[in-house]
Amino acid sequence: MGVHGLTTYLRENQRTLSTILNLHSSSTDSTPIVVDGWSFIYDVYRNSNLPWVYGGEYPEFCDLVTAVVNAWIKVGLRIFFVFDGPTPELKFSTVVSRLGQSHVHPSLLFFRTSSASRGTARFLNETRIIPPLAYTACINTLKILQNSADAVELHFADEEGDPYAVELAGKIGGYVVGNDSDFVVLNTEGYLGYIPLDEMMCGFQEVRKPKLKRRPVADTNIGRGIIPPDGDDSTLSLVVYKPDSLAAHLNIPVTLLPLLGALVGNDFTMQSESNHRKVQSLFFDRQLSLSQRITRVASTIQTILSPSTQKRKSLKHQVGSVMDLIDRTVNSLLARLNTTFGSGEIDSIIETIVEATLQYAIPKHEDANMSAENLQSPQVCALHPHNTCPLLPLLSRRVEAEHSNDFEAKSETLQHTMKIRAQYLAAFRGGQLAPKILDVLSSGTFWPRIFLENPDAETVSRSIGRPIREWTYSILDNAVGLPGVLDEESENQPDKTEDEEGLDDLIDVVESDSETELAKDDLLAPLKGELHRLHGSDDDDPSTAIPSTHSPHPPRPLIVVEYLRRGTRVAQEAVEVRPVQMLFDSVSLPPYSGSIPVPSFSLTERVTVLLRVLDSDVLPVRSLPKEQIIPVLAVRWVVLTLNSRAEETKSKEREKERWTKREAACFLATFNSPAQSSSALAPQETPVPILDRSVQLTAQVLQSFESIEHLSQALLLTDTLPSRAHSFSGQTFHRLLAAPGVGPELISSGLTDALNFGLEHAFNKDRSIQKSKKAKKAPTRNPHKVILGDGGSFKILANNSE
């Protein structure tokens, strides 16, 4: 992630570019760090050696998260976790490409490989996919740690998390920890530098010159990456890279590192799927390594800025602005090609570079209330004044629409709308509104988590998740408004005057004949205005536009674009957002008057909406403890959906998809294992088999689980119906599925009633029981013992199941 090849470049020049920071538990000093949340999740799971193929081992994963954080606190670190907000549209092509490489392709390879080969440790390590509930489980664990320790804080970025993390680090005077080379390009006052997670070392290894040649002995005081070793004497070694050191090594101003990143290539320069000719392929010979490309760009920029070059040019050709510098650098890098480019093609390339450079811009805010002391409980945003926070407009469409109408007539509705906006904002800042929901509000897109599933079958994101998400989209539109119709209405309002827009749309042309003066200025500030000019002429003035006299067009239907697996690639599918009134009628809910948003309903009414949507508004479900409701709803929804699909088509394949009562009971039994335990299963002599059906059942129920959680969050029911993602063990689920006869006796009678009520017709026959009856006459074998935990219903034997 980050600038292409920069991580390799940093490692190749580590001695020159880095410094070492050693921390010890005996120290009394406090060192603030800002941790990139997703880098942390990936690194912990990668170093944990936990199996991923079964769907995730979340209790053990949460234990490791707790161990890492506590080890960091012990050596004096104060930890600020930052998680990404909505995905910027400029990054969509990169995200699609990564999903294909890291999720779709490994899944395809898994199902195209023999059972014997795909079960090897090497194969599973090379095709690793991050389990789909890892984010939810990590957030739950970190919130527990935050409530118990003053040294832990959680932050959720307004947009892309990288600039937010660096800005926060500058505010607290700390470092950023992650696995993204963008952190050595981004810079702000007070920022101390970038610490790569994969270069962390827990424990110091004593180096001695051996007298005799001996085999190296593993040091038990050295951890696995960021996983701490056993023992109380904690030490931590950190490698620090600073933007100033990198810029000095490349001999360019530190303020031009963002431009270097855009020219070399970053997450924002990847072209769309329809445009296969990447910008970087025009700039560099194929023979150049990624590190050599960085050196090439740096030397090109340095040559253009050097005083000797400037003196050879006439005054009118000297570098007078950052746009002039970008233009010259692009043309210089393109000079290697014999092809002649038209002005339009070059402008398009320059526009791509400008947009990619602007992603590194960190605006400065002068606000006395934004200090390090009040970061944990901000009213709107921990870093930005409310009038500049980019998150607030995403939640304000309904508020603005009500303001534009008759204020007195709509005052009650407006009050409800403003209250919902505040509740959604607090939910997001508190980790109770998923960033994927913010994608819907930001860009009208949704990105279902893609996990291991049969590539020849319809993706579970569509078959299982979409019917639930359609409700989520409609409720979000009803509550705060989605991008589309409301945005078009706001565009018809009078525009701001040029004076109100301010001077940030103008290019600040600076006459300079040295790189020193360029380095002193914020070179990213004038790019926004120039980017606007690339799209249109300077004579365009919105204030002089003639208002249309035509009647308005009929409102177009709202659309949410979903990015999900289609065959062996990630593709877009448009989903129409229907009015809430129409959806209410479809599930026998009372007619919706529209006077107040759905999330403003009473708690009882919102729970009823959720249960009716999932066709599970039955007394046995309502009677369950709140911690058990989400898992029961998840498996009931899968059973209902697959049964409905089988009845519609009457096909044998759809009939085989249906779940059995035993399979559903096995899923619920995994949540009864002791939470946060280091091992939910007794040691087994043989590994858990990886069966195609078990893999598909896991994909279905985890997709249902995530979709229901998002609907619950949209209804503001997170506290009422808490998540149990942190308690699920995929390995336990697969082991139970592979044990013939194990089933309903694993769960309580209350869970059994809630699972089966109204679904007796929806379950398939248990084929394993039929097979076991036929096998009774066969010679008896040693039974395979399956033990779950220590308590009550978890001690079972797979033999004697009849």
Side-chain angles (χ1 to χ4, degrees):
M1 295 186 293
V3 179
H4 302 170
L6 185 53
T7 297
T8 302
Y9 186 87
L10 294 176
R11 287 175 180 169
E12 291 174 351
N13 298 276
Q14 186 186 80
R15 288 176 177 264
T16 305
L17 296 176
S18 68
T19 57
I20 304 297
L21 178 64
N22 293 324
L23 304 175
H24 197 277
S25 56
S26 61
S27 175
T28 58
D29 296 332
S30 177
T31 304
I33 61 171
V34 177
V35 180
D36 175 24
W38 269 109
S39 293
F40 179 79
I41 290 175
Y42 275 100
D43 212 71
V44 170
Y45 218 98
R46 178 174 60 86
N47 288 286
S48 68
N49 295 326
L50 293 173
W52 63 269
V53 70
Y54 305 111
E57 305 307 308
Y58 302 107
E60 296 175 76
F61 171 68
C62 292
D63 286 345
L64 289 174
V65 169
T66 301
V68 172
V69 173
N70 285 334
W72 286 359
I73 294 174
K74 191 177 294 185
V75 297
L77 291 177
R78 185 183 179 194
I79 311 162
F80 299 78
F81 285 94
V82 170
F83 290 89
D84 291 324
T87 305
E89 294 185 42
L90 195 59
K91 202 174 180 179
F92 282 4
S93 295
T94 298
V95 176
V96 169
S97 175
R98 284 181 181 165
L99 285 174
Q101 295 172 5
S102 62
H103 290 71
V104 177
H105 179 70
S107 183
L108 177 65
L109 188 61
F110 177 89
F111 278 92
R112 297 292 186 264
T113 304
S114 67
S115 298
S117 298
R118 73 188 187 188
T120 63
R122 178 178 179 180
F123 179 88
L124 292 175
N125 185 57
E126 292 176 349
T127 57
R128 181 183 299 271
I129 304 174
I130 192 74
L133 301 184
Y135 172 84
T136 304
C138 183
I139 294 297
N140 181 79
T141 305
L142 293 178
K143 288 173 68 175
I144 294 174
L145 291 168
Q146 180 178 233
N147 294 332
S148 61
D150 294 334
V152 178
E153 291 186 18
L154 267 69
H155 292 263
F156 298 86
D158 312 315
E159 297 176 305
E160 176 78 4
D162 295 356
Y164 189 99
V166 172
E167 187 174 359
L168 178 58
K171 183 75 67 174
I172 63 176
Y175 305 88
V176 169
V177 176
N179 277 332
D180 192 329
S181 58
D182 280 341
F183 291 128
V184 79
V185 173
L186 290 156
N187 198 15
T188 191
E189 184 179 356
Y191 175 45
L192 298 184
Y194 162 52
I195 299 173
L197 269 170
D198 54 10
E199 294 186 37
M200 276 188 172
M201 180 65 69
C202 296
F204 302 130
Q205 188 170 13
E206 186 176 359
V207 179
R208 296 179 180 176
K209 294 182 178 180
K211 295 181 180 179
L212 299 175
K213 292 184 178 180
R214 297 177 180 176
R215 292 183 179 179
V217 179
D219 191 345
T220 58
N221 294 322
I222 302 297
R224 289 170 288 152
I226 64 172
I227 307 298
D230 298 331
D232 296 328
D233 190 22
S234 301
T235 56
L236 189 63
S237 178
L238 310 175
V239 180
V240 182
Y241 297 94
K242 297 184 178 181
D244 290 335
S245 300
L246 176 61
H249 183 73
L250 295 173
N251 199 21
I252 63 174
V254 69
T255 51
L256 291 182
L257 286 178
L259 175 58
L260 178 136
L263 291 167
V264 173
N266 58 20
D267 293 345
F268 304 95
T269 56
M270 180 174 290
Q271 302 300 294
S272 63
E273 292 182 282
S274 59
N275 183 7
H276 296 285
R277 188 169 68 168
K278 297 180 180 179
V279 171
Q280 279 65 42
S281 65
L282 303 175
F283 289 163
F284 309 109
D285 293 323
R286 293 183 179 180
Q287 292 79 7
L288 289 180
S289 66
L290 293 176
S291 295
Q292 290 172 330
R293 293 183 178 190
I294 293 174
T295 304
R296 167 76 188 277
V297 171
S299 63
T300 301
I301 295 175
Q302 201 279 331
T303 300
I304 294 173
L305 291 178
S306 64
S308 59
T309 303
Q310 295 283 309
K311 290 179 181 179
R312 290 196 300 266
K313 302 286 184 180
S314 61
L315 182 62
K316 66 178 182 179
H317 290 105
Q318 292 183 359
V319 177
S321 70
V322 66
M323 281 303 302
D324 189 12
L325 175 62
I326 293 175
D327 182 90
R328 292 195 187 186
T329 307
V330 166
N331 280 280
S332 179
L333 292 173
L334 292 175
R336 72 177 189 87
L337 299 174
N338 295 325
T339 307
T340 302
F341 291 91
S343 58
E345 290 181 281
I346 295 180
D347 285 346
S348 177
I349 295 172
I350 292 174
E351 181 180 336
T352 299
I353 299 302
V354 170
E355 288 180 334
T357 304
L358 283 173
Q359 305 309 309
Y360 294 106
I362 299 179
K364 296 181 179 180
H365 303 283
E366 299 296 335
D367 194 315
N369 295 325
M370 299 296 156
S371 61
E373 287 73 20
N374 63 357
L375 289 175
Q376 196 167 7
S377 57
Q379 292 183 350
V380 175
C381 182
L383 298 179
H384 315 124
H386 72 276
N387 59 333
T388 62
C389 177
L391 180 63
L392 197 59
L394 307 183
L395 303 171
S396 301
R397 293 186 179 92
R398 287 290 174 201
V399 172
E400 294 174 355
E402 295 297 336
H403 269 300
S404 64
N405 295 328
D406 184 0
F407 182 83
E408 294 298 329
K410 299 290 184 179
S411 58
E412 183 179 356
T413 304
L414 178 62
Q415 292 301 317
H416 282 293
T417 305
M418 294 181 68
K419 180 181 178 181
I420 292 299
R421 178 179 68 174
Q423 289 176 312
Y424 272 13
L425 183 61
F428 176 69
R429 296 300 189 195
Q432 294 185 334
L433 193 68
K436 287 187 176 294
I437 292 180
L438 266 293
D439 285 328
V440 181
L441 301 176
S442 172
S443 57
T445 62
F446 191 84
W447 305 75
R449 298 199 191 281
I450 301 174
F451 190 59
L452 188 65
E453 62 174 337
N454 183 359
D456 299 321
E458 180 182 11
T459 177
V460 296
S461 299
R462 184 190 301 111
S463 61
I464 303 296
R466 178 173 291 173
I468 303 175
R469 291 197 301 271
E470 288 177 342
W471 273 90
T472 304
Y473 302 153
S474 295
I475 290 173
L476 290 173
D477 182 50
N478 170 261
V480 293
L482 299 187
V485 176
L486 290 179
D487 291 337
E488 292 175 3
E489 292 176 359
S490 64
E491 289 176 3
N492 295 329
Q493 301 297 324
D495 295 322
K496 295 180 180 180
T497 64
E498 185 176 351
D499 292 336
E500 290 173 329
E501 291 291 342
L503 299 178
D504 57 340
D505 282 344
L506 300 178
I507 294 180
D508 184 15
V509 180
V510 180
E511 289 189 7
S512 171
D513 58 0
S514 72
E515 59 182 297
T516 305
E517 293 185 26
L518 278 172
K520 293 180 180 179
D521 296 324
D522 180 7
L523 297 180
L524 299 183
L527 291 186
K528 291 184 179 180
E530 188 63 21
L531 183 60
H532 173 72
R533 296 190 186 191
L534 287 174
H535 288 285
S537 66
D538 296 338
D539 297 329
D540 294 337
D541 185 359
S543 62
T544 61
I546 301 175
S548 174
T549 58
H550 298 287
S551 59
H553 295 287
R556 291 189 303 233
L558 276 176
I559 295 294
V560 171
V561 178
E562 295 184 342
Y563 287 80
L564 37 73
R565 181 186 65 81
R566 185 189 297 165
T568 58
R569 64 188 183 93
V570 177
Q572 304 178 22
E573 292 189 7
V575 178
E576 183 176 343
V577 181
R578 293 179 289 172
V580 167
Q581 295 90 328
M582 186 183 301
L583 293 178
F584 268 47
D585 295 338
S586 67
V587 293
S588 302
L589 281 166
Y592 176 61
S593 64
S595 58
I596 62 175
V598 175
S600 288
F601 287 5
S602 68
L603 176 60
T604 302
E605 291 173 325
R606 282 179 281 138
V607 171
T608 299
V609 170
L610 179 71
L611 296 180
R612 292 282 180 89
V613 169
L614 302 174
D615 201 6
S616 293
D617 189 11
V618 294
L619 183 59
V621 173
R622 284 183 175 269
S623 302
L624 290 172
K626 64 179 183 179
E627 294 81 9
Q628 295 180 346
I629 291 180
I630 293 292
V632 169
L633 292 177
V635 71
R636 280 180 61 93
W637 177 257
V638 175
V639 170
L640 281 164
T641 302
L642 296 181
N643 177 67
S644 176
R645 285 159 55 89
E647 290 181 343
E648 288 176 0
T649 61
K650 305 296 183 182
S651 70
K652 293 182 179 180
E653 290 300 320
R654 291 287 175 87
E655 184 69 23
K656 292 178 181 178
E657 288 182 349
R658 295 165 61 201
W659 282 46
T660 66
K661 289 184 179 181
R662 189 185 78 85
E663 290 168 339
C666 288
F667 171 73
L668 294 179
T670 64
F671 292 92
N672 291 341
S673 56
Q676 304 293 326
S677 64
S678 60
S679 176
L681 294 172
Q684 301 292 318
E685 296 179 358
T686 58
V688 180
I690 307 172
L691 307 177
D692 285 1
R693 178 167 177 83
S694 299
V695 169
Q696 195 65 13
L697 295 181
T698 304
Q700 292 166 353
V701 75
L702 293 186
Q703 175 62 219
S704 174
F705 202 101
E706 180 188 50
S707 300
I708 292 172
E709 280 198 339
H710 288 163
L711 177 59
S712 175
Q713 291 175 1
L715 289 168
L716 298 174
L717 291 173
T718 306
D719 291 331
T720 306
L721 302 175
S723 170
R724 291 293 303 280
H726 56 281
S727 302
F728 176 71
S729 168
Q731 196 169 33
T732 303
F733 183 38
H734 280 245
R735 178 164 286 153
L736 293 175
L737 291 173
V742 175
E745 70 274 15
L746 292 173
I747 59 178
S748 66
S749 59
L751 276 174
T752 301
D753 292 341
L755 172 62
N756 297 332
F757 191 90
L759 299 185
E760 289 80 3
H761 67 289
F763 288 105
N764 206 345
K765 294 180 180 180
D766 192 347
R767 293 177 293 275
S768 65
I769 295 179
Q770 297 172 351
K771 291 180 180 179
S772 64
K773 287 182 179 180
K774 295 179 181 179
K776 267 190 173 183
K777 298 180 181 179
T780 58
R781 298 181 180 181
N782 293 330
H784 183 63
K785 192 175 182 181
V786 182
I787 301 176
L788 301 185
D790 297 321
S793 59
F794 297 106
K795 292 186 176 180
I796 60 171
L797 293 177
N799 61 314
N800 301 326
S801 59
E802 295 301 319

PDB file of all heavy atoms in Angstrom, residues 255 508 510 516-524:
ATOM      1  N   THR A 255       8.175  19.286   0.944  1.00  0.00           N
ATOM      2  CA  THR A 255       6.804  19.569   0.507  1.00  0.00           C
ATOM      3  C   THR A 255       6.493  18.965  -0.853  1.00  0.00           C
ATOM      4  O   THR A 255       5.328  18.936  -1.263  1.00  0.00           O
ATOM      5  CB  THR A 255       6.564  21.086   0.437  1.00  0.00           C
ATOM      6  OG1 THR A 255       7.612  21.684  -0.339  1.00  0.00           O
ATOM      7  CG2 THR A 255       6.541  21.702   1.813  1.00  0.00           C
ATOM      8  N   ASP A 508      -1.513  30.707  -6.630  1.00  0.00           N
ATOM      9  CA  ASP A 508      -0.569  31.650  -6.070  1.00  0.00           C
ATOM     10  C   ASP A 508       0.745  31.512  -6.829  1.00  0.00           C
ATOM     11  O   ASP A 508       1.542  30.629  -6.543  1.00  0.00           O
ATOM     12  CB  ASP A 508      -0.387  31.355  -4.575  1.00  0.00           C
ATOM     13  CG  ASP A 508       0.518  32.364  -3.899  1.00  0.00           C
ATOM     14  OD1 ASP A 508       0.762  33.412  -4.500  1.00  0.00           O
ATOM     15  OD2 ASP A 508       0.971  32.081  -2.780  1.00  0.00           O
ATOM     16  N   VAL A 510       4.353  32.255  -7.701  1.00  0.00           N
ATOM     17  CA  VAL A 510       5.484  32.799  -6.970  1.00  0.00           C
ATOM     18  C   VAL A 510       6.683  32.850  -7.902  1.00  0.00           C
ATOM     19  O   VAL A 510       7.080  31.837  -8.466  1.00  0.00           O
ATOM     20  CB  VAL A 510       5.820  31.923  -5.741  1.00  0.00           C
ATOM     21  CG1 VAL A 510       6.998  32.500  -4.985  1.00  0.00           C
ATOM     22  CG2 VAL A 510       4.604  31.807  -4.833  1.00  0.00           C
ATOM     23  N   THR A 516      14.704  26.865  -2.610  1.00  0.00           N
ATOM     24  CA  THR A 516      14.517  27.198  -1.202  1.00  0.00           C
ATOM     25  C   THR A 516      13.180  27.872  -0.966  1.00  0.00           C
ATOM     26  O   THR A 516      12.451  27.551  -0.041  1.00  0.00           O
ATOM     27  CB  THR A 516      15.658  28.115  -0.723  1.00  0.00           C
ATOM     28  OG1 THR A 516      16.894  27.469  -1.003  1.00  0.00           O
ATOM     29  CG2 THR A 516      15.538  28.372   0.769  1.00  0.00           C
ATOM     30  N   GLU A 517      12.832  28.842  -1.824  1.00  0.00           N
ATOM     31  CA  GLU A 517      11.579  29.557  -1.629  1.00  0.00           C
ATOM     32  C   GLU A 517      10.395  28.649  -1.895  1.00  0.00           C
ATOM     33  O   GLU A 517       9.364  28.748  -1.239  1.00  0.00           O
ATOM     34  CB  GLU A 517      11.534  30.777  -2.549  1.00  0.00           C
ATOM     35  CG  GLU A 517      12.570  31.838  -2.175  1.00  0.00           C
ATOM     36  CD  GLU A 517      12.411  33.088  -3.025  1.00  0.00           C
ATOM     37  OE1 GLU A 517      11.285  33.314  -3.494  1.00  0.00           O
ATOM     38  OE2 GLU A 517      13.388  33.801  -3.213  1.00  0.00           O
ATOM     39  N   LEU A 518      10.513  27.735  -2.867  1.00  0.00           N
ATOM     40  CA  LEU A 518       9.423  26.798  -3.117  1.00  0.00           C
ATOM     41  C   LEU A 518       9.195  25.908  -1.913  1.00  0.00           C
ATOM     42  O   LEU A 518       8.065  25.562  -1.577  1.00  0.00           O
ATOM     43  CB  LEU A 518       9.733  25.942  -4.340  1.00  0.00           C
ATOM     44  CG  LEU A 518       9.429  26.553  -5.704  1.00  0.00           C
ATOM     45  CD1 LEU A 518       9.982  25.654  -6.793  1.00  0.00           C
ATOM     46  CD2 LEU A 518       7.949  26.771  -5.883  1.00  0.00           C
ATOM     47  N   ALA A 519      10.268  25.530  -1.245  1.00  0.00           N
ATOM     48  CA  ALA A 519      10.154  24.609  -0.127  1.00  0.00           C
ATOM     49  C   ALA A 519       9.438  25.230   1.056  1.00  0.00           C
ATOM     50  O   ALA A 519       8.875  24.537   1.884  1.00  0.00           O
ATOM     51  CB  ALA A 519      11.544  24.131   0.301  1.00  0.00           C
ATOM     52  N   LYS A 520       9.459  26.564   1.163  1.00  0.00           N
ATOM     53  CA  LYS A 520       8.836  27.226   2.299  1.00  0.00           C
ATOM     54  C   LYS A 520       7.331  27.301   2.183  1.00  0.00           C
ATOM     55  O   LYS A 520       6.633  27.468   3.166  1.00  0.00           O
ATOM     56  CB  LYS A 520       9.405  28.644   2.450  1.00  0.00           C
ATOM     57  CG  LYS A 520      10.878  28.671   2.844  1.00  0.00           C
ATOM     58  CD  LYS A 520      11.362  30.095   2.970  1.00  0.00           C
ATOM     59  CE  LYS A 520      12.842  30.140   3.354  1.00  0.00           C
ATOM     60  NZ  LYS A 520      13.339  31.523   3.451  1.00  0.00           N
ATOM     61  N   ASP A 521       6.808  27.203   0.960  1.00  0.00           N
ATOM     62  CA  ASP A 521       5.370  27.363   0.757  1.00  0.00           C
ATOM     63  C   ASP A 521       4.655  26.024   0.837  1.00  0.00           C
ATOM     64  O   ASP A 521       5.231  24.971   0.643  1.00  0.00           O
ATOM     65  CB  ASP A 521       5.108  27.989  -0.616  1.00  0.00           C
ATOM     66  CG  ASP A 521       5.682  29.392  -0.711  1.00  0.00           C
ATOM     67  OD1 ASP A 521       5.632  30.100   0.311  1.00  0.00           O
ATOM     68  OD2 ASP A 521       6.184  29.745  -1.794  1.00  0.00           O
ATOM     69  N   ASP A 522       3.360  26.095   1.128  1.00  0.00           N
ATOM     70  CA  ASP A 522       2.515  24.912   1.045  1.00  0.00           C
ATOM     71  C   ASP A 522       2.140  24.717  -0.420  1.00  0.00           C
ATOM     72  O   ASP A 522       1.220  25.348  -0.932  1.00  0.00           O
ATOM     73  CB  ASP A 522       1.270  25.103   1.911  1.00  0.00           C
ATOM     74  CG  ASP A 522       0.366  23.889   1.863  1.00  0.00           C
ATOM     75  OD1 ASP A 522       0.783  22.877   1.278  1.00  0.00           O
ATOM     76  OD2 ASP A 522      -0.754  23.968   2.409  1.00  0.00           O
ATOM     77  N   LEU A 523       2.849  23.799  -1.072  1.00  0.00           N
ATOM     78  CA  LEU A 523       2.714  23.671  -2.521  1.00  0.00           C
ATOM     79  C   LEU A 523       1.437  22.974  -2.947  1.00  0.00           C
ATOM     80  O   LEU A 523       1.114  22.952  -4.127  1.00  0.00           O
ATOM     81  CB  LEU A 523       3.929  22.919  -3.076  1.00  0.00           C
ATOM     82  CG  LEU A 523       5.264  23.637  -2.880  1.00  0.00           C
ATOM     83  CD1 LEU A 523       6.384  22.812  -3.454  1.00  0.00           C
ATOM     84  CD2 LEU A 523       5.243  25.016  -3.498  1.00  0.00           C
ATOM     85  N   LEU A 524       0.696  22.384  -2.010  1.00  0.00           N
ATOM     86  CA  LEU A 524      -0.534  21.705  -2.383  1.00  0.00           C
ATOM     87  C   LEU A 524      -1.731  22.641  -2.399  1.00  0.00           C
ATOM     88  O   LEU A 524      -2.745  22.344  -3.020  1.00  0.00           O
ATOM     89  CB  LEU A 524      -0.814  20.553  -1.413  1.00  0.00           C
ATOM     90  CG  LEU A 524       0.236  19.442  -1.357  1.00  0.00           C
ATOM     91  CD1 LEU A 524      -0.235  18.345  -0.416  1.00  0.00           C
ATOM     92  CD2 LEU A 524       0.509  18.872  -2.722  1.00  0.00           C
TER      93      LEU A 524
END
